[in-house]
Amino acid sequence: LSELKLVAVVVIDNMPTAMLEDPTGYGYVIRKGALIGPNEGVVERVTPAGLLVKEQFENASGEIETKVSTITIQQDE
């Protein structure tokens, strides 16, 4: 997830949609419920500020852990 860049968030008909870009410059259109990342994280929310992604993975003990990440629009310096 850390390699993805949030380029834009657009709201059409009350449905927020985000555009992400990978390191190669390829773009993806993402909405709530989309699978994203190597752990098949689920996009829980799209807001004007960014994405909220929930991932579940198995830790070293074999237990399932949940990680919540955010992807925000980064300002160019």
Side-chain angles (χ1 to χ4, degrees):
L1 292 178
S2 64
E3 295 180 356
L4 297 173
K5 178 181 177 183
L6 181 58
V7 178
V9 175
V10 179
V11 180
I12 299 174
D13 294 331
N14 237 3
M15 181 175 287
T17 303
M19 182 171 184
L20 296 173
E21 188 177 281
D22 70 14
T24 66
Y26 190 81
Y28 301 88
V29 176
I30 302 293
R31 292 185 180 93
K32 180 180 177 180
L35 297 179
I36 185 173
N39 296 319
E40 294 188 354
V42 177
V43 176
E44 293 286 313
R45 190 172 9 178
V46 179
T47 69
L51 302 175
L52 182 74
V53 180
K54 185 187 289 185
E55 296 177 285
Q56 291 189 329
F57 58 94
E58 190 174 324
N59 65 19
S61 302
E63 298 170 332
I64 300 296
E65 289 190 20
T66 300
K67 177 181 177 184
V68 177
S69 303
T70 56
I71 302 173
T72 58
I73 294 180
Q74 299 176 358
Q75 302 295 324
D76 291 333
E77 293 180 29

